[in-house]
Amino acid sequence: MAEKMINLKLKVWRQNGPKAVGAFEDHDVSVSADSSFLEMLDELNDSLERNGKDPVVFESDCREGICGTCGLVINGQPHGPIPKIATCQLHMRHFTEGQTIWIEPFRAKAFPVLKDLAVDRSAFDTIMHAGGYVSVNTGGVPDANAIAIPKDVAAEAFDAAACIGCGACVAACKNASAMLFVSAKVSQFAVLPQGQPERYTRVQKMVKVMDELGFGSCTNTYACEAECPKGISVKNIARMNKDYIKAKVKTEKIELEA
Amino acid sequence: MGWLSESLNSSIGKKFIMALTGISLILFLIVHLAGNLTLFIGEEAFNLYVESLDKIKPFIRVIEVVLAAIFIFHIVNGIKLYFENRGARPEKYAVNGSRKNSTLFSRTMAQTGSIIFIFLVIHLSTFWKAFNLDTHAADASYYNIVLEWFQIEWYAVLYVICMIILGFHLNHGFQSAFQTFGWNHNKYASLIKKIGTGYAVIMAVGFASIPIYFLLGGM
């Protein structure tokens, strides 16, 4: 059976560096409907290179939706029009013959464009360093299941831990807020017994760093949840709000240690 | 109290102020509408209502000052958030996909809020001024003051439009406040959303019905 090909008009964001002024570049492509979005860009880059032109810079790694490296804003939606998938899992059959596709990088002050469609998301790492961990002292290996955790609690923690840190929540939010990401990373520990010792310092430290990095504030539009490739719930944001307010009101400590 | 101002100036702190002041204003609107509905009972009932408030004027003045402070906190904080949030994305998207992932109500809080602020200024400089500052003849009726204003067509229409926009603002604000306080529960969240929409509709329809009633009554 012959491959079904579709013709598309691409408008691809090109930007030479963080300080450069970017603009859209037009490309007409003909691709297999079975190819993925990134494979289409690979083909585009092949042809650009054959013609001695600069290929479009974009990020990808696992290409099966679990690493969180890829991330493009496709026709105004992070990871494209299909819910709960990453850009790499988006296939060209979801587009129609002759359609114009606008491809933009994640845009946020805290995510500066490095080149073309690749942005610097190390701000997320900085937030994780501030408190996205549990401190485990060395010693004997604890017995598995020594601490009883109800199944639904474990599932809730796992749902939060499903966040792949791609940054689509920031890209989707009209305020470029990182609340969904940070709240997922706070929640994955906050609901488990192992996370309790650092629960209230963790939330304060991570929110403080998040604010310093220039992300916006949450205004509860829930665009993040709608665009999240892993379906992370805004319930995590509610949990983080509650923990943060509790921490500020109830804890005796005034200064956070570094 | 350095920790307090630092906490309130954090992103979550600012949300918290918006939610707390917002809920206070939501409660105020219920009282305000309940009082205003005496207009439908008749001239005597409304005048009696306003005069009974007049009798406890010192108490009402305290409430007014508190209310003004709540409004100012809500407005100033909202303006601050608007500009900070705009700054968090210096370069805008060429294609805006927000229609596909969020509600109109949630995206336009700053715009609906600004219109409500302009309305508030007009409202205070007409009704509040007429009831509190202007001197009237001894037999003047508060009911008639309302009647006169709302028989001015543009004024009545402006009120109706502003009340619809207020409904938009409240529809998002109500459930949003609960989310900010951290009360997003599997069992109750959908109920809160429904109550919020119901509340917003009742407020918009309730307040808008007054100018409509007087405008149509005068025709």
Side-chain angles (χ1 to χ4, degrees):
Chain A
M1 203 175 84
E3 254 187 316
K4 193 191 166 214
M5 302 294 281
I6 51 172
N7 298 297
L8 298 161
K9 287 186 202 318
L10 304 184
K11 292 194 174 285
V12 186
W13 183 259
R14 303 302 303 261
Q15 183 174 336
N16 247 326
K19 296 253 156 65
V21 178
F24 286 95
E25 193 176 86
D26 291 0
H27 291 285
D28 290 323
V29 294
S30 176
V31 288
S32 161
D34 295 327
S35 71
S36 77
F37 203 86
L38 297 184
E39 283 165 347
M40 174 196 67
L41 290 178
D42 289 339
E43 280 183 30
L44 171 68
N45 278 346
D46 278 349
S47 82
L48 284 173
E49 282 181 65
R50 269 197 304 276
N51 295 319
K53 288 182 189 146
D54 232 10
V56 178
V57 175
F58 66 94
E59 282 188 281
S60 76
D61 193 8
C62 76
R63 298 212 176 187
E64 55 185 10
I66 51 170
C67 75
T69 308
C70 64
L72 303 172
V73 175
I74 300 159
N75 286 340
Q77 286 184 282
H79 297 304
I82 310 297
K84 290 193 186 174
I85 56 165
T87 304
C88 58
Q89 297 165 291
L90 176 64
H91 286 82
M92 302 318 295
R93 55 180 163 270
H94 297 296
F95 297 91
T96 51
E97 173 66 28
Q99 192 179 346
T100 302
I101 305 176
W102 295 76
I103 308 170
E104 297 178 71
F106 286 179
R107 296 192 193 279
K109 192 170 111 191
F111 286 171
V113 171
L114 294 172
K115 193 171 189 326
D116 299 338
L117 302 169
V119 298
D120 178 5
R121 286 169 287 185
S122 57
F124 272 9
D125 300 332
T126 313
I127 294 172
M128 291 305 278
H129 293 164
Y133 50 80
V134 281
S135 303
V136 180
N137 294 322
T138 53
V141 180
D143 279 344
N145 299 323
I147 306 168
I149 300 168
K151 172 74 177 72
D152 53 344
V153 173
E156 205 166 355
F158 188 81
D159 284 347
C163 168
I164 54 177
C166 65
C169 44
V170 175
C173 177
K174 76 178 184 63
N175 310 322
S177 165
M179 287 288 278
L180 192 67
F181 166 77
V182 180
S183 70
K185 299 304 178 189
V186 162
S187 289
Q188 65 186 0
F189 299 127
V191 297
L192 292 177
Q194 292 88 340
Q196 298 312 306
E198 290 156 306
R199 181 173 183 174
Y200 293 103
T201 46
R202 176 186 303 114
V203 67
Q204 294 183 71
K205 284 179 181 173
M206 289 178 82
V207 169
K208 185 165 182 261
V209 172
M210 171 184 83
D211 288 352
E212 285 165 1
L213 288 167
F215 292 103
S217 297
C218 174
T219 51
N220 302 337
T221 69
Y222 311 138
C224 51
E225 181 184 272
E227 298 293 1
C228 175
K230 296 294 145 185
I232 304 290
S233 165
V234 294
K235 276 187 72 179
N236 292 306
I237 298 182
R239 182 182 292 110
M240 180 161 82
N241 290 338
K242 192 158 59 181
D243 277 9
Y244 184 82
I245 296 164
K246 252 192 204 167
K248 289 298 182 192
V249 173
K250 287 173 97 174
T251 55
E252 296 258 6
K253 236 186 239 152
I254 289 172
E255 295 282 336
L256 277 174
E257 73 266 34
Chain B
M1 296 294 267
W3 68 271
L4 185 62
S5 71
E6 199 187 300
S7 307
L8 293 178
N9 273 311
S10 69
S11 59
I12 296 180
K14 275 177 280 199
K15 277 161 62 86
F16 185 71
I17 293 178
M18 290 313 277
L20 201 63
T21 52
I23 284 287
S24 311
L25 295 173
I26 278 171
L27 293 173
F28 160 70
L29 284 183
I30 297 175
V31 179
H32 192 18
L33 179 63
N36 285 9
L37 290 180
T38 56
L39 281 164
F40 287 120
I41 303 175
E43 183 171 357
E44 215 168 299
F46 183 71
N47 285 343
L48 191 70
Y49 161 63
V50 179
E51 278 154 20
S52 65
L53 289 182
D54 250 354
K55 282 193 193 116
I56 48 166
K57 208 75 215 191
F59 174 69
I60 295 294
R61 286 284 176 253
V62 173
I63 298 282
E64 278 175 345
V65 170
V66 173
L67 201 56
I70 293 171
F71 263 113
I72 289 166
F73 260 96
H74 194 77
I75 293 163
V76 170
N77 208 45
I79 293 169
K80 216 157 87 181
L81 276 168
Y82 173 75
F83 284 106
E84 281 171 8
N85 287 342
R86 270 175 65 102
R89 174 165 297 131
E91 186 139 21
K92 304 284 167 235
Y93 288 111
V95 183
N96 184 349
S98 58
R99 258 185 315 118
K100 293 165 195 149
N101 57 33
S102 53
T103 63
L104 178 71
F105 309 114
S106 70
R107 291 195 308 269
T108 52
M109 289 302 272
Q111 289 78 3
T112 51
S114 307
I115 294 169
I116 295 163
F117 174 70
I118 295 166
F119 166 79
L120 186 67
V121 173
I122 296 170
H123 183 57
L124 291 179
S125 61
T126 50
F127 279 126
W128 187 84
K129 181 171 165 285
F131 278 41
N132 289 279
L133 303 178
D134 294 353
T135 46
H136 307 288
D139 60 343
S141 156
Y142 291 111
Y143 183 88
N144 284 336
I145 299 173
V146 178
L147 183 78
E148 275 163 32
W149 272 109
F150 281 146
Q151 285 187 342
I152 304 168
E153 263 167 53
W154 68 265
Y155 191 78
V157 169
L158 178 82
Y159 260 63
V160 174
I161 293 170
C162 288
M163 288 309 103
I164 293 167
I165 287 163
L166 176 70
F168 280 27
H169 197 78
L170 293 173
N171 182 40
H172 177 70
F174 191 96
Q175 59 86 23
S176 184
F178 285 83
Q179 165 81 3
T180 298
F181 293 143
W183 299 330
N184 184 340
H185 192 283
N186 270 353
K187 284 181 182 158
Y188 312 117
S190 65
L191 181 70
I192 286 170
K193 247 179 211 170
K194 279 183 200 131
I195 292 174
T197 303
Y199 167 84
V201 170
I202 290 170
M203 289 301 132
V205 171
F207 280 115
S209 66
I210 297 165
I212 292 172
Y213 173 76
F214 284 104
L215 187 65
L216 295 183
M219 275 178 180

